[in-house]
Amino acid sequence: MAKKQFKAESKRLMDLMVNSIYTNREIFLREIISNASDAIDKLCYLSLTDDKVGLRREDFRIDVKIDKDARKITVSDNGIGMTAQEMEQNLGVIAKSGSLQFKKENDMSKEDIDIIGQFGVGFYSAFMVAAKVTVISRAYGSEEANMWVSSGADGYTITPCEKDGVGTDVIMELKEDGEEADYSEFLDNNYLSSIVKKYSDYVRWPIYMDVTKSRYVETEELNADGTKKKQWEDYTENEVINSRVPIWQRPKSEVSNEECINFYKEKFYDMEDPAAVIRVSAEGTVSYKAMLFIPSHAPANYYSKDYQAGVQLYSSGVMIMEHCDAVLPDYFRFVRGVVDSPDLSLNISREILQHDRQLKIIATNVEKKIKQELERLIQNDREKYEKFYSAFGLQLKYGILNAYGSNKEQLQDLLMFYSADKEKPVTFKEYTQAMPEEQKYIYYAVGESVKMLGELPQAEPVRKKGYDILYLLDDTDEFLVKMLGEYDGKQFISVSAEDLGLETQEEKETAEKVETESRELLDFVKEALEGKIAAAKISHKLVSRPVCLTTQGSITLEMERYFASLPEAVSGGVPMKAERVLELNPAHPVFKALKAAYETDRERAKDYAELLYGQSLLAAGLPLENPGEFSELVCKLMV
Ligand code: ADP
């Protein structure tokens, strides 16, 4: 019969496994047992609603057997099994489950070997120890069985065969011992069972093995006093060797942080440690246990629709849903983990689950715990939080935006923005706590970079007062603070706003006087700029710079820019224009020069107005409307 070939990546992985010099080969057993356990989960789940399964919970089991003479290890389960087609799909290509992102086409390198250590690579890891692997399987609901056989990278065959009962046997024929490796050690019962214990102790289903024991027994020989002689003899007993308590069910004190982290990495296929582990053991109206993880980086597909949010939901150790998103608010959808409650009904559909009262209570509680943990990180583990925030900060912001600010209480304390003063991200709480007593507002500036905002003219008076400014660097940040409106009773205000609340009454009056005196000149500037600005004003806030560009009305320059960047389908094709205001600094020599020109040479004064407007655009980080004209103007005024 012709051999079928593995798909390209699978073949490469297979090569890697066959030739593996990886020292941790023993993990193959964990992988095969974990597949067996998953297969039982699936059938057990079916049995909840389908009487035809004919197995009770206590009937499910995994058996690990050794045949020393034939050098074989067999792992059997009475789970859901596979049809020939499923064997083809699942064992002929690398599982789609994400157990391995094995896309790099580099040579076998240290990195590859690390991948094995980090994740295990599922079924294929059998080839680290086996020269030949046979899988005999009968799928639930099927009368026939099939046999998949492969001796490695050269391909595999699938043929019909006989098998009593539903389930799968994975038979691994060990490689011959070589110089570097002793495969025969796996044929030792006690050694093999110690590996099972080490990696698969918390597998929910009983794993049976023959265990060699010794006992002191009577013989036929007699002692001098007529009693029977006794001696030690070995015997084997087939018994359950795993303790079957899932890691999240074990008491906190018995599970180290490292064990939790390893569990996370294996279960959720992450190479990096999570930013935090949250353990919950709740008793009360609803009892549940949870082990939750806050990842430290976003998975590659996180911001795409491929990402499946949700925790794994268990009821008394039986998985009832792989991605239950009803437990997590959407803005915490990055959280991974397991929630297990005996109070949940096993027979539950996704729709019912959304309205399940018990689950709602769990969800509220879980949300609180996640928030507490994030706040704890802000306080005690800043570096980790900042890393987390750079991955998921956007998610938190969208959480507020999508709900039009209605969940601001839950989320606002988790946000961070760059502080001009501290030169690093700070929370609103940290900002307001550091405010001088007389400061009324929370100031922010919107722009593309810290550098550009550092040079913004309108920021100067605020900084000069000793007030900090939050830099809003993301597109949607300004909408966000507008939606929040205020924090702790303090309003957010843009440094580009007309009234920054910085002046005393006296300063205000003086400025107003100058404004009245300069009315004619200001109107001239507006006229000269031919509709580019809505008004020219005497600035109340400029300190050392001659001009700045601000806006009046509700649309700011940054919003205008953001709307302009949206596709027409979203923006409706109607341009959103900010009403620009050119502010002039009356104390600056440039203002005096403008005034002088206005009185003596109107043409020149018009050029000055253009020049100042161009300058204000540049300082605001906006493009010149006509760079060619602008540079000509500069030349014209220089000679
Ligand atoms: P993963 O377990 O990460 O999906 P594997 O390579 O270990 O990747 O397994 C591939 C697929 O083969 C599994 O997802 C499952 O569908 C199927 N499979 C493997 N072992 C068994 C088994 N004992 N019973 C039923 N199906 C199995």
Side-chain angles (χ1 to χ4, degrees):
M1 184 187 157
K3 279 214 170 104
K4 299 196 180 190
Q5 293 305 306
F6 289 102
K7 298 273 155 49
E9 302 98 328
S10 310
K11 183 164 174 353
R12 216 175 93 60
L13 184 54
M14 189 71 93
D15 279 335
L16 179 60
M17 291 300 133
V18 171
N19 300 314
S20 173
I21 46 157
Y22 184 59
T23 46
N24 235 352
R25 285 188 200 90
E26 59 194 35
I27 57 141
F28 80 94
L29 200 57
R30 172 191 73 191
E31 299 301 317
I32 301 301
I33 288 178
S34 137
N35 282 346
S37 168
D38 291 348
I40 296 179
D41 280 350
K42 288 177 193 158
L43 191 57
C44 176
Y45 180 67
L46 278 184
S47 73
L48 301 172
T49 50
D50 183 350
D51 294 339
K52 290 197 289 296
V53 173
L55 288 167
R56 287 160 305 164
R57 256 199 95 176
E58 54 273 28
D59 298 331
F60 291 108
R61 60 186 277 164
I62 298 168
D63 284 275
V64 179
K65 290 209 173 68
I66 295 174
D67 180 343
K68 267 200 169 118
D69 299 333
R71 293 180 67 77
K72 281 181 187 164
I73 297 173
T74 302
V75 176
S76 308
D77 66 71
N78 52 355
I80 196 149
M82 283 176 277
T83 60
Q85 198 192 3
E86 282 164 343
M87 280 180 156
E88 178 88 33
Q89 277 169 3
N90 297 331
L91 310 180
V93 294
I94 293 181
K96 315 138 273 298
S97 66
S99 49
L100 188 74
Q101 279 111 18
F102 211 80
K103 303 224 169 69
K104 301 171 293 172
E105 272 304 319
N106 54 348
D107 286 334
M108 202 166 98
S109 66
K110 168 109 191 0
E111 271 169 71
D112 292 348
I113 305 295
D114 276 348
I115 292 175
I116 308 172
Q118 298 277 359
F119 295 114
V121 285
F123 174 73
Y124 289 81
S125 59
F127 288 93
M128 290 198 289
V129 298
K132 179 176 168 192
V133 179
T134 305
V135 181
I136 297 173
S137 193
R138 189 171 134 196
Y140 170 66
S142 166
E143 287 307 314
E144 55 193 47
N146 287 283
M147 176 156 59
W148 179 100
V149 184
S150 170
S151 306
D154 63 338
Y156 59 92
T157 55
I158 298 176
T159 42
C161 68
E162 296 288 314
K163 182 181 185 321
D164 293 334
V166 166
T168 305
D169 301 329
V170 178
I171 305 155
M172 293 159 278
E173 209 174 306
L174 296 187
K175 298 181 191 181
E176 291 302 327
D177 293 338
E179 265 172 32
E180 301 157 353
D182 173 18
Y183 300 99
S184 299
E185 63 183 2
F186 295 118
L187 295 170
D188 179 76
N189 249 325
N190 289 352
Y191 180 61
L192 202 68
S193 66
S194 73
I195 299 176
V196 174
K197 271 211 174 71
K198 179 166 162 194
Y199 292 107
S200 310
D201 192 53
Y202 60 76
V203 166
R204 291 174 289 294
W205 307 106
I207 304 171
Y208 285 83
M209 271 191 85
D210 281 343
V211 183
T212 312
K213 295 179 171 180
S214 296
R215 60 186 164 199
Y216 204 46
V217 288
E218 290 178 348
T219 61
E220 291 308 308
E221 278 176 62
L222 296 180
N223 287 315
D225 63 1
T227 56
K228 286 186 172 171
K229 271 193 178 172
K230 284 186 156 188
Q231 69 177 38
W232 284 102
E233 96 176 356
D234 282 351
Y235 70 104
T236 52
E237 205 155 40
N238 192 255
E239 60 181 38
V240 178
I241 59 164
N242 55 332
S243 66
R244 304 168 57 187
V245 184
I247 188 167
W248 60 87
Q249 289 281 8
R250 282 158 57 195
K252 260 188 206 178
S253 56
E254 275 178 27
V255 185
S256 69
N257 200 42
E258 200 189 335
E259 281 177 272
C260 299
I261 289 175
N262 286 339
F263 170 74
Y264 164 77
K265 286 168 140 178
E266 262 167 39
K267 187 148 185 119
F268 300 102
Y269 308 119
D270 193 348
M271 294 246 232
E272 278 183 50
D273 285 6
V277 180
I278 306 171
R279 297 207 55 187
V280 192
S281 175
E283 307 273 337
T285 15
V286 182
S287 303
Y288 73 95
K289 293 218 163 50
M291 186 179 274
L292 304 169
F293 303 92
I294 299 174
S296 54
H297 68 117
N301 65 357
Y302 185 69
Y303 287 102
S304 81
K305 64 176 184 345
D306 292 342
Y307 177 80
Q308 275 187 295
V311 298
Q312 291 193 346
L313 196 63
Y314 285 81
S315 175
S316 306
V318 181
M319 182 155 78
I320 51 179
M321 199 176 281
E322 172 129 43
H323 296 280
C324 176
D325 50 8
V327 174
L328 296 174
D330 203 45
Y331 45 80
F332 288 157
R333 64 204 299 273
F334 46 80
V335 172
R336 293 270 176 226
V338 175
V339 169
D340 191 343
S341 168
D343 299 334
L344 290 172
S345 135
L346 277 175
N347 190 352
I348 210 162
S349 77
R350 195 164 270 273
E351 291 67 38
I352 297 172
L353 210 52
Q354 301 290 346
H355 304 111
D356 189 85
R357 200 176 57 83
Q358 267 85 3
L359 201 68
K360 279 222 167 98
I361 296 173
I362 294 179
T364 315
N365 212 332
V366 159
E367 173 174 355
K368 226 180 275 162
K369 299 276 178 195
I370 298 170
K371 191 178 165 206
Q372 276 167 5
E373 184 59 27
L374 290 172
E375 284 176 333
R376 194 193 62 78
L377 283 182
I378 293 178
Q379 287 292 328
N380 304 336
D381 215 333
R382 193 59 167 223
E383 213 175 299
K384 270 196 190 147
Y385 191 78
E386 282 178 20
K387 182 154 192 280
F388 155 81
Y389 192 77
S390 64
F392 299 110
L394 202 57
Q395 176 73 66
L396 299 177
K397 291 177 188 176
Y398 278 129
I400 296 180
L401 289 166
N402 291 345
Y404 301 101
S406 64
N407 46 24
K408 95 184 227 187
E409 287 308 320
Q410 287 95 301
L411 295 177
Q412 61 184 0
D413 282 323
L414 301 177
L415 301 180
M416 289 206 296
F417 293 97
Y418 186 90
S419 144
D421 190 45
K422 307 283 184 307
E423 298 185 347
K424 59 175 194 191
V426 298
T427 61
F428 293 143
K429 195 181 259 155
E430 287 159 350
Y431 179 97
T432 49
Q433 278 172 353
M435 274 167 65
E437 208 171 317
E438 78 283 357
Q439 183 182 339
K440 283 188 279 193
Y441 302 118
I442 300 173
Y443 294 98
Y444 67 83
V446 190
E448 267 161 23
S449 70
V450 169
K451 187 159 185 306
M452 181 229 133
L453 289 175
E455 284 156 19
L456 199 67
Q458 45 275 56
E460 209 181 344
V462 182
R463 299 288 291 131
K464 215 171 155 214
K465 276 264 179 191
Y467 301 165
D468 194 4
I469 299 174
L470 296 176
Y471 288 175
L472 274 44
L473 302 168
D474 273 345
D475 276 352
T476 50
D477 284 352
E478 191 169 26
F479 294 97
L480 185 77
V481 292
K482 286 211 147 92
M483 214 168 250
L484 295 174
E486 48 91 30
Y487 178 85
D488 195 20
K490 305 196 174 57
Q491 252 185 308
F492 290 100
I493 176 169
S494 162
V495 294
S496 302
E498 254 187 286
D499 184 1
L500 293 179
L502 297 174
E503 299 152 303
T504 60
Q505 194 53 32
E506 200 186 323
E507 284 169 328
K508 261 196 187 144
E509 279 164 17
T510 331
E512 271 158 24
K513 203 162 140 247
V514 183
E515 176 108 20
T516 325
E517 284 166 10
S518 317
R519 194 67 270 152
E520 223 181 283
L521 171 62
L522 294 170
D523 288 343
F524 168 79
V525 170
K526 184 184 164 187
E527 289 289 300
L529 289 172
E530 293 167 347
K532 288 178 192 139
I533 58 170
K537 277 200 179 128
I538 290 298
S539 180
H540 296 200
K541 51 180 167 254
L542 287 173
V543 183
S544 66
R545 314 290 180 94
V547 280
C548 72
L549 195 65
T550 58
T551 52
Q552 60 186 24
S554 57
I555 302 169
T556 62
L557 292 169
E558 290 72 26
M559 289 164 103
E560 174 185 309
R561 191 162 41 195
Y562 175 67
F563 280 119
S565 73
L566 295 177
E568 211 175 288
V570 181
S571 65
V574 189
M576 287 268 208
K577 276 279 177 200
E579 289 184 26
R580 291 161 154 73
V581 176
L582 184 67
E583 293 198 14
L584 301 160
N585 180 356
H588 201 282
V590 156
F591 184 76
K592 301 207 170 73
L594 173 68
K595 208 167 162 189
Y598 173 66
E599 275 151 18
T600 56
D601 180 350
R602 290 285 157 102
E603 251 333 281
R604 196 171 179 82
K606 192 164 181 280
D607 287 346
Y608 280 180
E610 282 288 353
L611 196 62
L612 289 173
Y613 176 64
Q615 234 183 316
S616 73
L617 284 174
L618 290 174
L622 294 169
L624 291 167
E625 279 152 30
N626 193 335
E629 252 173 42
F630 184 79
S631 65
E632 255 173 50
L633 196 61
V634 173
C635 295
K636 183 174 156 198
L637 291 170
M638 281 177 78
V639 291

